């Protein structure tokens, strides 16, 4: 067993370090079909490396958490990896340590995480059938038979509480929380995990959530690696085989969209710190929005391109008001936030806020120049192959296509769609999505900081 473990680990990690997928393989076809249980499969079959990556996604992110139990999605995902029950096939129960040893013996890895929109199960293993079948069988137990040990949760809750207390001493945490509340209001995207919400989370809540949301008919499985379609179908069926079969798959309750801001919000929060933390922004756009390409290019020019961006040039290079400044969109199933973020000396926070807002407003009004847009295209299109140069990166792209219901040829047409964007397209897209006069401004730690009401 030790020899198998050593061979498997060496092969896996050596293979992972290789550049297994070239830019030419952006055209690898994505096969898509639906299993009898309703699960949707997205497969890219490639023999570049003897590795298989799988990601299984469910609509079970934090946006589905009850407000009084904010943090339930993350807590549930954490506890899935803490042990499995005795299997229906007679397999013995495994605690966290035994699970870790089992995965190490296989030279494979399995992770569970919960984001805003989804809960994701990720498996990486060698494609050798002897190892692949064992890894898939073990993963199916973690997905379908989690033990949710209460004693472990009590310890985990204390650990998370300690992390929350520490984070609450940091200005970045305070600024992020205030910004999310101001941008999202009562929408689940703005929910905050606190000691109080954690106290309301127990094993029973995790089990109930699991039964409601982690069901085969709601699964989207993305598979990349050295497997055929027939092998992928067997793999997917096995992964979900220990979940209870659902007689029907009624749609989950809809979640109201993020509301647009009706008026600006300006918040100054006192904090004794060497740097003031600043966020300026508003709700952005859902990932499926057709303006995505224009907004991506425009944001590179505005504040996503590092030292070549307008914000960096105007706020840092010309005026020395900050060491670093950025802008970015965070699109999800709903309108994730657009934000400009930076740190600056407390005594110059107001000047830095004023300048960053001026740069933003000017960009929305005027759009990029022809030379700025060309530079953005050269950089983003030139770097596109680097987004596909490994199994791990490709699985992320395939899962993104699956999750957001993007066209199956999305990767094939990406470069052409980027090239087709004009400066006028960028200007129009930014004017549709951003309203500089109605944005949220949060400053934590500025000179004479105090909560202030925004003026129209």
């Amino acid at each position: 067993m030790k020899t198998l473990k050593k061979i498997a680990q060496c092969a896996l990690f050596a293979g992972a370090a290789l550049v297994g997928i070239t830019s030419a393989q952006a055209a690898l076809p994505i096969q898509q079909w639906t299993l009898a249980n309703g699960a949707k499969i997205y497969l890219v079959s490639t023999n570049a490396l003897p590795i298989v990556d799988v990601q299984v996604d469910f609509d079970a992110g934090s946006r589905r958490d009850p407000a009084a139990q904010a943090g339930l999605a993350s807590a549930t995902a954490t506890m899935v990896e803490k042990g499995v029950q005795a299997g229906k096939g007679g397999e013995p129960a495994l605690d966290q340590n035994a699970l870790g040893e089992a995965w190490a013996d296989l030279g494979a890895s399995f992770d569970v995480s919960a984001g805003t929109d989804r809960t994701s199960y990720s498996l990486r293993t060698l494609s050798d059938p002897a190892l692949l079948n064992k890894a898939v069988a073990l993963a199916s137990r973690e997905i379908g038979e989690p033990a949710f040990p209460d004693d472990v949760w009590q310890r985990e809750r204390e650990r998370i509480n300690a992390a929350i207390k520490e984070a609450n001493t940091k200005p970045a945490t305070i600024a992020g929380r205030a910004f999310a509340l101001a941008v999202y209001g009562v929408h689940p995207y703005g929910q905050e995990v606190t000691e109080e919400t954690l106290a309301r989370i127990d094993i029973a809540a995790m089990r109930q959530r699991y039964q409601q949301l982690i069901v085969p008919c709601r699964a989207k499985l993305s598979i990349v690696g050295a497997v055929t379609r027939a092998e992928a179908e067997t793999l997917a069926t096995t992964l979900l085989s220990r979940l209870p079969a659902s007689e029907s798959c009624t749609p989950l309750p809809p979640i109201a969209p993020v509301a647009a801001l009706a008026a600006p919000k300006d918040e100054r929060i006192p904090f004794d710190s060497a740097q003031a933390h600043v966020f300026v922004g508003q709700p952005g756009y859902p990932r499926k929005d057709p303006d995505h390409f224009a907004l991506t290019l425009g944001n590179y020019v505005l504040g996503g391109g590092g030292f070549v961006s307008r914000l960096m040039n105007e706020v840092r290079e010309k005026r020395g008001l900050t060491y670093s400044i950025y802008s970015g969109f965070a699109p999800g199933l709903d309108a994730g936030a657009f934000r400009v973020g930076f740190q600056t000396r407390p005594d110059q926070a107001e000047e830095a806020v004023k300048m960053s807002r001026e740069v933003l407003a000017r960009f929305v009004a005027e759009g990029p120049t022809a030379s700025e847009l060309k530079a953005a295209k050269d950089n983003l299109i030139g770097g596109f192959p680097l987004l596909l140069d490994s199994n791990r990166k490709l699985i992320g792209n395939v899962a993104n296509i699956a999750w957001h219901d993007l066209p199956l040829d999305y990767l094939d047409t990406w470069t052409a769609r980027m090239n087709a964007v004009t400066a006028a397209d960028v200007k129009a897209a930014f004017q549709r999505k951003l309203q500089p006069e109605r944005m949220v401004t949060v400053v934590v730690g500025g000179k004479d900081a105090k909560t202030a009401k925004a003026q129209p």
Side-chain angles (χ1 to χ4, degrees):
M1 181 61 72
K2 288 184 178 179
T3 301
L4 174 62
K5 172 183 173 182
K6 193 172 293 185
I7 292 173
Q9 287 179 327
C10 289
L12 179 59
F13 292 116
L18 296 174
V19 175
I21 297 179
T22 67
S23 59
Q25 287 176 301
L28 281 172
I30 298 176
Q31 302 177 60
Q32 197 279 317
W33 69 98
T34 302
L35 297 181
N37 61 15
K40 298 181 186 301
I41 313 300
Y42 295 75
L43 168 68
V44 171
S45 183
T46 170
N47 293 313
L49 290 172
I51 291 174
V52 179
D53 282 287
V54 184
Q55 183 168 319
V56 188
D57 291 320
F58 295 88
D59 185 353
S62 62
R63 75 191 192 117
R64 293 283 174 192
D65 289 352
Q69 292 177 311
L72 179 57
S74 179
T76 305
T78 295
M79 289 302 297
V80 168
E81 299 186 83
K82 303 305 181 184
V84 296
Q85 306 172 55
K88 297 176 182 177
E91 304 95 336
L94 300 173
D95 63 14
Q96 182 180 4
N97 292 331
L99 269 178
E101 291 175 1
W103 284 116
D105 285 342
L106 292 171
S109 64
F110 182 82
D111 300 290
V112 188
S113 62
T116 304
D117 289 328
R118 53 182 155 168
T119 289
S120 302
Y121 301 80
S122 301
L123 169 66
R124 162 165 274 220
T125 178
L126 291 169
S127 59
D128 177 82
L131 294 172
L132 175 62
N133 293 338
K134 291 179 180 179
V136 171
L138 184 57
S140 74
R141 293 192 65 191
E142 284 206 50
I143 294 173
E145 300 171 342
F148 294 121
D150 186 66
D151 59 332
V152 175
W153 169 237
Q154 300 306 320
R155 294 196 299 270
E156 281 297 308
R157 181 157 53 192
E158 290 304 311
R159 180 188 63 80
I160 298 170
N161 277 333
I164 289 174
K165 289 178 181 178
E166 180 183 1
N168 286 340
T169 67
K170 299 177 179 179
T173 300
I174 296 170
R177 180 190 305 135
F179 180 79
L181 180 61
V183 169
Y184 295 122
V186 298
H187 190 276
Y189 275 11
Q191 289 179 174
E192 177 193 354
V193 183
T194 66
E195 294 175 74
E196 290 74 22
T197 66
L198 279 177
R200 301 186 188 103
I201 296 173
D202 56 18
I203 295 303
M206 295 181 196
R207 291 189 184 281
Q208 182 182 30
R209 187 180 204 281
Y210 221 78
Q211 293 171 359
Q212 292 174 342
L213 302 179
I214 310 300
V215 293
C217 63
R218 303 195 196 285
K220 290 189 174 183
L221 291 89
S222 302
I223 305 170
V224 172
V227 289
T228 65
R229 173 167 174 155
E231 291 167 337
E233 177 141 356
T234 299
L235 182 160
T237 301
T238 302
L239 278 178
L240 302 176
S241 63
R242 296 178 189 251
L243 288 170
S246 53
E247 296 182 1
S248 63
C249 200
T250 56
L252 291 172
I255 294 175
V258 176
L261 297 178
K265 300 178 183 179
D266 200 338
E267 190 166 3
R268 304 291 193 269
I269 301 174
F271 198 96
D272 185 12
S273 58
Q275 293 277 294
H277 290 247
V278 180
F279 290 128
V280 178
Q282 65 165 85
Y285 67 97
R287 178 59 184 80
K288 288 183 68 174
D289 193 292
D291 282 336
H292 174 73
F293 287 91
L295 294 166
T296 299
L297 281 165
N299 184 68
Y300 182 91
V301 176
L302 174 61
F307 283 99
V308 300
S309 73
R310 281 200 191 180
L311 283 167
M312 189 73 86
N313 183 55
E314 294 293 335
V315 183
R316 171 189 158 131
E317 296 300 322
K318 290 185 178 181
R319 295 168 179 84
L321 295 173
T322 183
Y323 179 77
S324 179
I325 184 170
Y326 68 89
S327 68
F329 292 93
L333 292 180
D334 209 322
F338 165 81
R339 79 174 69 196
V340 173
F342 62 90
Q343 297 175 39
T344 187
R345 285 203 330 253
D347 63 311
Q348 58 189 22
E350 294 307 316
E351 182 183 0
V353 167
K354 180 176 180 292
M355 181 50 56
S356 62
R357 290 182 63 95
E358 286 179 1
V359 173
L360 171 59
R362 191 180 314 121
F363 185 81
V364 172
E366 301 173 358
T369 65
S371 60
E372 286 176 326
L373 183 60
K374 181 180 184 305
K377 288 183 178 181
D378 289 346
N379 183 278
L380 293 176
I381 293 173
F384 181 65
L386 298 179
L387 302 178
L388 305 169
D389 64 2
S390 70
N391 253 45
R392 194 180 297 279
K393 292 180 183 178
L394 188 53
I395 188 69
N397 278 283
V398 175
N400 178 59
I401 290 170
W403 186 248
H404 294 289
D405 294 320
L406 301 177
L408 295 182
D409 65 352
Y410 176 80
L411 297 177
D412 300 322
T413 62
W414 191 93
T415 296
R417 294 184 69 179
M418 277 289 190
N419 266 323
V421 175
T422 66
D425 292 334
V426 173
K427 176 182 175 181
F430 267 73
Q431 290 182 351
R432 281 191 289 268
K433 297 301 184 296
L434 299 185
Q435 297 78 42
E437 73 283 357
R438 295 206 304 266
M439 287 192 174
V440 167
T441 301
V442 173
V443 180
V444 176
K447 183 180 179 182
D448 298 326
K450 60 182 179 180
T451 300
K453 292 183 178 180
Q455 298 299 317

